Amino acid sequence: MRVVVRLLLWSLITMIGYGSPVLAQSSLIDPSVLSQLSDEEKARLLGGLGNGDAGSIDQDRELQNPQVVRPRSPSGSGSPVSNDDLDYDDVLVDRESTTGYATGVDGAEFDRGSVSASGRDTRTESDAANADLDTQSNRIRTQDRDRPALTRSGANQRRRDSTVSAYANDGSRVRKPSLKMEGRLKPRPFGYELFAGVPSTFAPATDIPVPGDYVIGPGDNVRVQLFGNQNQTFTLLVSRDGTVNFPKLGPISTNGMRFDELQALLENRVSKEMIGTTASVTLGRLRSMRVFVLGDVTRPGSYTVSSLSTMTHALFVSGGVTAVGSLRRVQLKRSGELIQTLDLYKFLLGGDSSDDVRLQPGDVIFVPPVAARVTVEGEVKRPAIYEIGGERTLSDLIALAGGRLASSDQTYIEVERVTRDAQRRVLNFDMSKAADLSSPIQDGDVVRVRRIAQQIANEIRVIGHVKYPGSYPWADGRDLRTVLDQAGVRSSDIETEVYLPLGIIERSSELTGIRQFVAFNVAEALSGASSPLALQPNDVVVVFSRDDVDYLNSYEVEAVLGGKPIAAGNRCEALSELDEMVNSQRAVRFLRALSSENHRLEKTSRRRMSCPEIFETVPRALPFLLDKSVAVYGEVVRPGIYPVADQTELELLLRAAAGVTGESDSRNVEYLSYADSVRDGKSSYRTLDLTIDTTRKQAVAAGDVFNFRPVYLDQEIGSVRLIGEVRFPGTYGLIRGETLSQMIARAGGLTTSAFPYGAVFTRDSARAAETASYKRAADELQEAVVTIMTNGSLTGDVSSVAAFLDGVVKRLQNAKATGRVVVQADPALLRLRPEQDVILESGDALLIPKRPTSVSIAGQVLNPGSQLFVSGDTADDYLRRAGGVGEAADKDRAFIIYPNGEARPLKLGAWQFQKPDVPPGSLIIVPRDATPLNKLVLSERLLSIFSNLAISAAALVTIGNN
């Protein structure tokens, strides 16, 4: 029968285990336990497994929480071992990992089906069994899917979760959002974490010595080893009537006998009745017993536990005390009488387990509802909600919470109390007074221990460009120099530089309490040149670096002062402080300083910078530095605006700007006093001479402007280029007011083959004007084309005329301007007529070609090209040798371009008696007749365009040939 029952239990739990990892890992109830049960108990247990009897809640819990760990064989095969090898152990089941019946851990009720008043299921036994199994499997699967990993770390994680667990009145657990007070989690009831994350398998140690006062009972195994004349070992089972059958000695009664008494009895009888034999008596496998855990526990009911179990073991088996149960009055009752009261606070706070007595069969552990509770918050070592027992005074409660922290304010403790008239009131107590310490406490009190102020009473902070930023103690007589020496102002290095003209102290005003700034001269403070500046408690000393001050000259600061919004990604709080200055007179003054002579750049060209860390720490320092700034521009190495302290000397300001440049005129420095302008209502500039020592030592003030003018030099910035027939061609630096003849003389004069009449002189300004004229002519021509195309003035092939004009426009748009200026380049003639001697500009270029020997003919002639120059020949002679003019030629508009770039009309014809000379290097041009286009509208414009293009082309040819 035992084998059949074992197989039945094994197959049933294995099937359930496939749907539930929890039950799959559960151990079987050993059949030896069944052998110790009555027939009624066996029937009820089998009924709880789905054998037609719904069973009791207690039995269901016994099934879900097996009290016997099924051992494995030494081979590891997992098959059950023999009964003799079984040891009975306690199992403490994790309340988080087991399913709850009725109102379980998660508050979910188990559907037990339809049960009659007599406890029998009204369905058929097979249907009831199947339904019970299906319901169990579904519930297990749901809980396993929704529940996190069942490990102790998982339980710890749940305790760290942002939500806290609470329990309803019926013991079911609900989830509530966490509440925070002063940045901390609201205190929770103390001690209940003891039962959080209860392990899924629990058994007290079985290898410890059994105490001598252990009471022997039915089911215990007594091991007796004989040695001497007889060497044998006996395992004696205490029977139900309390006797052990000892071979050769007969039955021995153990009723009510303690282990040490039984040990002495057996050893004594063996030594007397078995001569020459000595006995060693120990206990083997211990019995199991049934106890009841009732009251406010997670799973109240009856449990089978080891005979070594204590009160706390039973509490763990039942899942622990609920949030409404008392931890200080756990009662042990035996036969209706109160045997022991367990205060778990003594165990948790002092490690005292003396009240945790051992259980006996039939004992009842009862957990009553929690008694009076008091909340302790704030600066104590264990803020929590405490159940008060013998604590009656405020000092007792603080001691229960572990005592005050060092950061607590002992002069003020707040107690929130519900009075008899149902009103909430607040009481204050001084813990430094003995009378207040003995003040009584009552249920529902909330005790708050206040933290002392975070502000350090005697602190001086030093931040910025120092070696050791941080806090320094303040004391009477402590001055700025002493603190700076301790903090160690960092010297300038390759990465950054210290800024000496100004540092600031942020302190509270004694009159208004408002934080304000006091400026000081860092250089004087370090050297001790000025009188010591006394510091006050809670002062903040700020030392700036050069990078911090450069931020005042950044694009970001100028943009904000100019009214532009702060960029979306820029979170510099200091820039937000500048918004208050927008459109103010101060902002105008700063913008004027930023846009002064040496800073007349596009705003996008100004340096962009990220917000320095010092302005993140002290954002209001940025507008204060601007208020204290002096503008320095002109011939200094680092122009910009510089904040200065009062009475700062000009010499130190110059050092901050890295000194003057080599081109600076130290005798002619322009100075504008802001204080004088405010006093007189108008601005006036003065001139300073920095070669005078007293001038360098004069004090500068916020708002002053210094313009370091450059020294006057004859040499201009730029150069002139000479090419061609000069003795030393090349690039020459330009002296202010230098003329063309002087430059030719510097180049060694002209060579013997030079042709100064054909000189090509170009200038940048003329080139720009010529380019603009080409563009303007192209635009005008396009407008004229549109006009004649719309009014029908053109005759003939309109499309060809339009294509021709379009080509002219494109030629104008792509034409390369030379910037040629007609000048006299013959030194001999310039000496006779000095008014024609051109004053040179930077970028000018002069080309002196070789003497030419030909004359060029272009345009509407039969054979355009170059002809050998013949002295005395006229333009008609050259045109005749070129085959004459073509049919489309307009002889009346023919012109000549002389070697110097001048152009004159030729007025060809027999009736022209005064013929112009044709020197070598000239260009004769016969233009096309413009009649087919429209004489009235286009002819004049086209002739002018072609003439300009021809002149440019001639200049380019000359330059290209040389």
Side-chain angles (χ1 to χ4, degrees), residues 525-853:
L526 294 176
S527 63
S530 60
S531 57
L533 179 60
L535 296 179
Q536 299 178 5
N538 300 314
D539 278 355
V540 178
V541 181
V542 184
V543 179
F544 297 98
S545 68
R546 179 57 189 255
D547 292 339
D548 300 333
V549 175
D550 284 346
Y551 190 65
L552 275 64
N553 299 278
S554 66
Y555 168 79
E556 287 76 11
V557 171
E558 184 179 14
V560 172
L561 291 176
K564 289 186 177 181
I566 302 174
N570 194 333
R571 300 183 179 180
C572 183
E573 188 178 349
L575 293 179
S576 301
E577 296 285 341
L578 293 182
D579 283 341
E580 301 177 1
M581 300 174 58
V582 175
N583 298 326
S584 66
Q585 184 62 34
R586 292 189 299 166
V588 173
R589 173 162 59 91
F590 301 143
L591 289 173
R592 186 182 300 116
L594 289 170
S595 60
S596 54
E597 181 177 341
N598 211 31
H599 286 265
R600 287 174 185 169
L601 305 173
E602 293 293 334
K603 290 186 177 180
T604 54
S605 299
R606 192 174 297 282
R607 181 182 178 189
R608 291 178 177 267
M609 299 178 62
S610 59
C611 186
E613 183 180 354
I614 195 67
F615 293 129
E616 297 284 0
T617 307
V618 191
R620 293 191 303 110
L622 180 59
F624 180 79
L625 293 187
L626 287 172
D627 271 337
K628 289 290 185 179
S629 294
V630 174
V632 180
Y633 60 92
E635 293 302 322
V636 291
V637 178
R638 294 179 175 178
I641 59 176
Y642 292 90
V644 296
D646 295 339
Q647 302 302 317
T648 298
E649 294 181 357
L650 178 58
E651 179 68 26
L652 182 59
L653 179 63
L654 287 176
R655 292 178 184 176
V660 297
T661 64
E663 292 78 16
S664 176
D665 186 358
S666 299
R667 298 178 180 272
N668 190 19
V669 177
E670 192 176 55
Y671 166 59
L672 173 64
S673 173
Y674 181 71
D676 294 346
S677 301
V678 173
R679 183 182 64 250
D680 301 335
K682 61 180 181 179
S683 300
S684 60
Y685 285 90
R686 291 185 291 167
T687 300
L688 300 179
D689 185 356
L690 296 185
T691 60
I692 303 175
D693 292 340
T694 55
T695 302
R696 286 179 170 269
K697 293 185 178 298
Q698 81 170 36
V700 298
D704 290 351
V705 178
F706 292 88
N707 179 15
F708 290 81
R709 297 168 176 169
V711 66
Y712 176 79
L713 298 174
D714 285 341
Q715 184 177 0
E716 291 189 357
I717 299 175
S719 61
V720 175
R721 188 180 182 191
L722 273 64
I723 312 170
E725 296 304 312
V726 293
R727 297 189 63 184
F728 307 110
T731 302
Y732 291 86
L734 183 62
I735 300 175
R736 190 186 304 273
E738 190 171 14
T739 62
L740 181 60
S741 62
Q742 293 172 339
M743 183 63 68
I744 294 174
R746 289 175 60 190
L750 303 180
T751 64
T752 56
S753 59
F755 183 58
Y757 183 61
V760 179
F761 182 82
T762 61
R763 177 164 285 177
D764 291 340
S765 58
R767 185 179 297 108
E770 186 177 349
T771 301
S773 67
Y774 286 162
K775 183 179 183 302
R776 183 170 57 254
D779 296 339
E780 292 175 354
L781 184 57
Q782 284 180 324
E783 294 176 0
V785 169
V786 173
T787 301
I788 64 174
M789 294 290 288
T790 55
N791 61 20
S793 301
L794 286 177
T795 60
D797 189 357
V798 177
S799 61
S800 62
V801 174
F804 168 75
L805 295 176
D806 183 63
V808 175
V809 172
K810 290 182 178 179
R811 185 178 177 186
L812 283 172
Q813 292 174 342
N814 298 326
K816 182 178 180 181
T818 59
R820 182 173 184 178
V821 180
V822 178
V823 297
Q824 179 59 260
D826 190 342
L829 295 177
L830 291 176
R831 284 194 295 270
L832 295 176
R833 304 190 65 176
E835 70 275 5
Q836 296 183 357
D837 203 355
V838 177
I839 298 177
L840 300 179
E841 296 178 2
S842 175
D844 289 348
L846 176 65
L847 169 64
I848 306 294
K850 293 181 180 180
R851 183 178 298 277
T853 59

Side-chain angles (χ1 to χ4, degrees), residues 464-483:
H465 195 73
V466 293
K467 298 177 182 177
Y468 311 107
S471 298
Y472 293 86
W474 174 86
D476 289 334
R478 174 76 47 121
D479 57 24
L480 178 62
R481 181 182 179 184
T482 304
V483 174

Side-chain angles (χ1 to χ4, degrees), residues 499-522:
Y499 186 74
L500 296 177
L502 178 135
I504 62 174
I505 301 173
E506 184 183 20
R507 64 172 41 156
S508 299
S509 170
E510 296 180 356
L511 297 178
T512 64
I514 298 174
R515 298 291 285 181
Q516 59 188 15
F517 294 110
V518 177
F520 67 91
N521 189 313
V522 179

